[in-house]
Structure formats: structure tokens, C-alpha cells
């Protein structure tokens, strides 16, 4: 039996018999010859069938093919530079219809994003989306390798929690036998537990959940979070150093493996950072943004979306960087576990990372000393008793540590210059989308 050949491997073969398998992309049913573009997970190939005596069965099969029909095709490979699609074609000797498709396709190239998401499995059949998720695979693989090569331990933290890890306002509450549980907003507490456990450094790429009713281009109720935590740091600058190196590694891997395909499908160049990411204290960044004409309406001293876009433009213009770290956030807008500056308790040793004008990550040095931690919980008006299990992590010794959390889909969205998370998430979840 002839083994299947992937379409992207045909060019390396000598002319002769081949078997390819995939789905029908287009059919040109002409009077003297028929052409089928067959697509598989690696590319597309032209299939040709001359209408001649003795080939009526194959001709009838091709005439009845609908877009999306799954085929096994055996035939003779022939190199022909006149063929626009890859400079080769396969002359059919037999066709096996493995699965017929309904001829009425529910989506088209100009369908709305919501309509396409209703039929996401069809929407994903395009070369463009195939390239996108191969790039995501390479990105996550490169990040895992970066950590693996540096002796980090990969952890898989539970997504059922008894209490909040971030904000009670953004928790999904679910029935849990005779009680209730909450879906984890992040692996934060358990990443820190790994430091008290003596792991030294740990990472996780896994799901996280936010009960946030936002209908923006960059929010989702379920997303993939890229998290890392490491011990024996001196400040949040050590965390930024690691994250910057991680991102360079990931982008380099994507550019080397998919740069040409991304350029062809998205008209985007993967720019490898040449300069260090600028690091600007948040309050200074707000002044820069205001000096460029933006007026902040919010009173909590945080950045707003337009402020992020403006500081992103500033970083590109002044430092030639798509990235900028905003550092030293006020304690009033940071979680209780962020360490505060020794010389100014109103500021935290924390940061946000902005890429192409959008925040993709929050990081910080954590407070690892039990007494300041309890005091900061009280300062936030929270009940320390409800966090007793978390505080136990620090009652028996904990090293100075810090880390970050980063949204994978946001990374992909910004790298490929896409308009929203829905385009770059395999199956998007938002306030009004639970299917498919």
C-alpha cells in the first residue's frame, strides 16, 4: 500500500506514484480537463484529471465534489513549473471519497467574526489560520525550552480553588459537591507555594478564568496564561530581565520557523527586539502620555487603553522598541502580595509589560515575609483568616521571589497585528459565547 505523502513534502519527491489525502478547496470542472485544489494540514496541491475515454468514473466523482469533502487521491506526481500552485500537480488514477461535505457551506470569506466563530472548525481550515496556530505552537515550545534549559520545574496547578487568588469581583462561582468552589483566575498562589517548596523556579502554561463582563477586543472569560516564578531575586528587575529574554527567545523561534509564511499570510514582519526594553516608572509614563496630549479620566493612577497605546508609540519613536515596561505601580492599585518599596510604601516592586500599545503581562517581586504580608492584607481591607492556607506558605520560611503572568492569545494577537482575541483564540470564550 502506498503511504500517504503530506502535500508540503511533494516537492522533494521524484515524479511518480503518490498518495495524498485532504479536503477539497476548489473544483474547476471544464469540458476537457478537471482541476481540484486539494488541501491538507501542510499546504495545497493541484489535482488534474483529463476527461478522456475510460476515465468517466473519476470524471463523474470530481463533478460531484463539494468544497470540504475529504478525499484520498492516488496518482502520478509531475513537476511542471507552469503550474502556479507549487510548480507541480498530481494526475489522478483513483479517488476515494472518505467523507462527503454538505454543498451549502455556512460561512464565506466575508462572513462576520461571530458567524465564523459559530462554525469555527470550518473557519480554521484556511492556510492563514493554520500558520497562526503553528506559530503559537512554536512560541509555546520555545518558551518551555527556555525554562527547561534553565532548570525550571513545570507545574500544573488546580483550577478549582476554595478562595480568590486575585479579586472577588472576577470569580466564577461553581457548585462543588456540598459546597462551592471558584475557578482560578491565575496560578498565583500555587506558583508562590512552589517557591516555599524549594523548587527554585517554576512555570506553567494553562487555563485561567475571569468573570469579567467586558466586551473589548482584548478580554476573554477563559484564556491561556503563561506564568513563571523564580526564587532568590533581588528585585522585580530580575523578573523583567528573565521575561525580556524569554520573549526574545520566543520571537526568534517564530521568525526562523514561520517568518516567511507570516509575511505571506498576514503581511507582518516579525521584528526581533534589538534594544533593551525601556523601563519607565508608571507615574513618569503618565506624565509622558499627558505631555503628548492625552488626558486621563480615571482617578486611580493606572494606565487606560489610550494611555497604553500612546506610551507604546513613545517607546517605538524614542527607543525603537515595540515593548516597554511600566514599573513601580502604586500599592493602591496592586494586589496585597506585591512587595512595597522600602523607601516608599506607597509604591510596589511591580510592572506591566506593554507590547505594541497593549498590556500583555503583569509581574512583581512578591512579599515573602509573613508580618508585612499580613499587614498588607489588612491594608486592603481583606480577611486574613480566609487566606490562612496561603499564609501558611510563608510561616515556615520563604525565599525572596517574583514572577509574572502573561496572556498567550494577547501575545499572538499583537505579534500578528490582529484586531481582537477572537481571531487568534482556538475556541473563544466571552460573556455571550460558550459554543462551540
Amino acid at each position: 500500500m502506498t503511504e500517504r505523502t503530506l502535500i508540503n513534502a511533494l516537492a522533494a519527491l521524484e515524479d511518480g506514484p503518490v498518495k495524498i489525502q485532504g479536503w477539497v478547496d476548489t473544483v474547476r470542472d471544464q469540458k476537457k480537463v478537471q482541476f481540484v485544489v486539494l488541501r491538507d494540514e501542510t499546504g495545497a496541491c493541484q489535482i488534474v484529471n483529463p476527461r478522456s475515454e475510460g476515465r468517466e468514473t473519476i470524471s463523474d466523482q470530481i463533478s460531484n465534489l463539494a468544497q470540504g469533502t475529504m478525499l484520498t487521491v492516488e496518482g502520478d506526481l509531475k513537476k511542471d513549473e507552469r503550474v502556479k500552485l507549487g510548480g507541480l500537480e498530481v494526475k489522478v488514477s483513483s479517488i476515494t471519497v472518505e467523507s462527503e461535505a454538505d454543498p451549502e457551506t455556512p460561512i464565506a470569506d466575508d462572513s462576520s467574526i461571530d458567524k465564523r466563530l459559530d462554525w469555527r472548525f470550518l473557519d480554521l481550515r484556511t492556510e492563514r489560520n493554520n500558520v497562526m496556530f503553528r506559530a503559537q505552537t512554536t512560541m509555546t515550545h520555545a518558551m518551555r525550552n527556555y525554562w527547561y534549559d534553565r532548570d525550571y520545574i513545570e507545574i500544573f496547578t488546580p483550577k478549582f480553588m476554595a478562595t480568590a487568588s486575585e479579586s472577588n469581583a472576577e470569580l466564577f462561582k461553581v457548585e462543588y459537591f456540598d459546597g462551592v468552589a471558584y475557578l482560578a483566575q491565575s496560578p498565583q498562589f500555587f506558583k508562590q507555594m512552589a517557591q516555599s517548596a524549594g523548587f527554585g523556579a517554576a512555570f506553567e502554561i494553562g487555563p485561567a478564568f475571569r468573570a469579567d463582563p467586558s466586551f473589548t477586543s482584548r478580554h476573554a472569560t477563559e484564556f491561556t496564561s503563561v506564568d513563571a516564578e523564580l526564587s532568590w531575586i533581588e528585585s522585580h528587575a530580575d523578573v523583567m530581565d528573565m521575561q525580556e529574554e524569554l520573549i526574545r527567545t520566543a520571537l526568534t523561534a517564530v521568525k526562523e520557523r514561520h517568518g516567511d509564511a507570516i509575511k505571506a499570510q498576514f503581511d507582518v514582519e516579525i521584528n526581533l527586539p534589538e534594544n533593551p526594553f525601556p523601563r519607565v516608572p508608571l507615574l513618569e509614563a503618565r506624565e509622558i502620555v499627558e505631555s503628548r496630549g492625552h488626558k486621563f479620566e480615571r482617578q486611580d493612577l493606572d494606565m487606560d487603553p489610550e494611555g497604553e497605546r500612546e506610551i507604546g508609540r513613545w517607546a517605538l519613536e524614542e527607543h525603537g522598541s515595540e515593548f516597554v515596561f511600566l514599573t513601580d505601580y502604586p500599592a493602591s492599585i496592586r494586589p496585597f502580595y506585591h512587595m512595597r518599596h522600602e523607601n516608599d510604601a506607597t509604591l510596589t516592586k511591580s510592572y506591566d509589560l506593554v507590547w505594541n500599545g497593549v498590556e500583555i503581562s503583569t509581574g512583581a517581586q512578591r512579599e515573602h515575609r509573613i508580618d508585612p504580608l499580613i499587614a498588607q492584607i489588612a491594608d486592603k481591607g481583606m480577611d486574613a483568616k480566609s487566606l490562612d492556607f496561603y499564609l501558611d506558605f510563608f510561616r515556615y520560611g520563604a525565599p525572596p521571589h517574583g514572577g509574572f503572568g502573561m496572556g498567550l492569545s494577547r501575545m499572538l494577537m499583537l505579534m500578528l497585528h490582529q484586531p481582537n482575541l477572537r481571531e487568534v483564540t482556538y475556541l473563544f470564550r466571552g460573556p455571550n459565547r460558550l459554543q462551540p
Side-chain angles (χ1 to χ4, degrees):
M1 182 178 70
T2 306
E3 292 186 1
R4 180 197 185 200
T5 299
L6 293 173
I7 286 174
N8 71 347
L10 291 174
L13 299 181
E14 298 292 332
D15 288 5
V18 292
K19 179 172 79 172
I20 56 177
Q21 295 175 304
W23 62 91
V24 175
D25 191 49
T26 59
V27 177
R28 282 189 293 148
D29 195 357
Q30 299 177 355
K31 186 174 182 180
K32 294 185 177 181
V33 65
Q34 297 168 306
F35 299 97
V36 178
V37 174
L38 193 74
R39 185 173 295 280
D40 71 5
E41 61 268 33
T42 67
C45 174
Q46 177 171 287
I47 312 302
V48 62
N49 176 54
R51 283 184 180 272
S52 57
E53 188 175 348
R55 300 181 65 86
E56 291 83 4
T57 299
I58 292 175
S59 299
D60 290 344
Q61 282 182 300
I62 291 175
S63 294
N64 291 308
L65 291 176
Q67 184 182 40
T69 295
M70 298 287 174
L71 301 180
T72 296
V73 175
E74 296 194 56
D76 290 315
L77 173 67
K78 182 181 179 181
K79 308 290 175 55
D80 186 342
E81 60 186 22
R82 294 173 298 175
V83 178
K84 294 181 180 179
L85 190 58
L88 54 81
E89 63 185 9
V90 174
K91 180 181 177 182
V92 180
S93 58
S94 71
I95 291 179
T96 301
V97 175
E98 306 290 356
S99 175
E100 292 186 4
D102 190 321
E104 297 297 324
T105 305
I107 58 172
D109 292 341
D110 60 353
S111 294
S112 69
I113 178 62
D114 286 325
K115 182 68 171 178
R116 288 189 286 111
L117 290 185
D118 289 341
W119 298 92
R120 186 59 164 162
F121 68 97
L122 294 178
D123 185 46
L124 291 173
R125 282 185 183 175
T126 65
E127 184 176 2
R128 177 184 174 92
N129 282 326
N130 189 287
V131 167
M132 180 168 65
F133 285 103
R134 290 186 185 278
Q136 178 180 272
T137 300
T138 296
M139 179 184 289
T140 55
H141 183 71
M143 289 189 290
R144 277 196 169 95
N145 276 349
Y146 172 89
W147 286 315
Y148 182 80
D149 290 344
R150 289 157 181 79
D151 212 25
Y152 282 59
I153 295 175
E154 184 169 11
I155 57 176
F156 301 94
T157 62
K159 304 310 166 192
F160 284 130
M161 296 186 68
T163 189
S165 57
E166 300 281 349
S167 164
N168 285 313
E170 295 184 353
L171 283 173
F172 282 112
K173 185 177 180 180
V174 296
E175 294 182 4
Y176 195 76
F177 300 103
D178 294 331
V180 297
Y182 303 94
L183 295 182
Q185 301 153 299
S186 84
Q188 181 59 45
F189 288 177
F190 301 122
K191 286 192 303 176
Q192 291 187 260
M193 189 189 82
Q195 308 314 299
S196 296
F199 280 23
F203 73 92
E204 178 176 19
I205 301 177
F209 304 86
R210 296 287 171 98
D212 184 350
S214 297
F215 290 88
T216 75
S217 63
R218 58 181 185 170
H219 286 91
T221 53
E222 179 180 356
F223 61 96
T224 300
S225 188
V226 179
D227 285 86
E229 204 81 13
L230 67 160
S231 293
W232 305 111
I233 65 171
E234 294 185 6
S235 77
H236 53 313
D238 296 325
V239 183
M240 287 187 278
D241 289 344
M242 180 267 287
Q243 188 171 11
E244 182 171 337
E245 192 174 35
L246 175 80
I247 288 173
R248 289 178 190 277
T249 300
L251 289 180
T252 298
V254 171
K255 185 177 181 67
E256 288 177 353
R257 194 176 183 98
H258 309 288
D260 291 344
I262 288 172
K263 177 63 177 175
Q265 294 297 322
F266 295 90
D267 195 24
V268 169
E269 293 280 358
I270 303 299
N271 295 317
L272 301 182
E274 295 181 358
N275 304 319
F277 299 175
R279 302 179 183 187
V280 187
L282 173 67
L283 299 183
E284 182 181 325
R286 284 174 59 95
E287 292 177 359
I288 292 171
V289 168
E290 287 176 331
S291 73
R292 293 167 66 91
H294 177 61
K295 182 179 180 180
F296 288 99
E297 300 294 338
R298 62 192 303 164
Q299 302 301 314
D300 62 2
L301 299 180
D302 204 352
M303 274 288 178
D304 58 18
E306 181 54 36
E308 290 176 357
R309 287 188 284 270
E310 192 59 50
I311 200 65
R313 288 188 281 266
W314 171 85
L316 194 59
E317 293 167 12
E318 298 296 325
H319 296 272
S321 175
E322 294 182 354
F323 298 88
V324 55
F325 284 114
L326 306 181
T327 68
D328 306 323
Y329 275 66
S332 60
I333 56 174
R334 283 313 210 199
F336 70 87
Y337 50 80
H338 283 193
M339 182 177 279
R340 301 183 183 185
H341 279 280
E342 296 85 354
N343 58 353
D344 187 350
T346 67
L347 299 179
T348 60
K349 296 183 178 183
S350 70
Y351 68 86
D352 276 2
L353 177 58
V354 174
W355 183 9
N356 284 329
V358 177
E359 177 261 311
I360 61 166
S361 178
T362 295
Q365 180 171 6
R366 322 303 186 185
E367 181 53 72
H368 63 283
R369 300 162 297 179
I370 185 67
D371 290 337
L373 197 52
I374 292 173
Q376 289 176 193
I377 290 171
D379 185 56
K380 290 289 185 180
M382 301 174 69
D383 180 11
K385 290 183 178 178
S386 67
L387 293 167
D388 212 40
F389 85 96
Y390 170 75
L391 292 172
D392 282 345
F393 303 160
F394 307 94
R395 290 188 169 111
Y396 301 91
H401 64 277
F404 68 84
M406 181 164 58
L408 179 62
S409 290
R410 282 197 190 182
M411 294 180 71
L412 198 62
M413 177 181 77
L414 295 165
M415 181 180 72
L416 299 178
H417 297 195
Q418 291 304 286
N420 58 64
L421 286 183
R422 294 179 295 172
E423 291 283 2
V424 301
T425 305
Y426 181 67
L427 288 174
F428 177 78
R429 289 292 178 261
N432 59 1
R433 181 165 290 278
L434 280 172
Q435 288 183 328

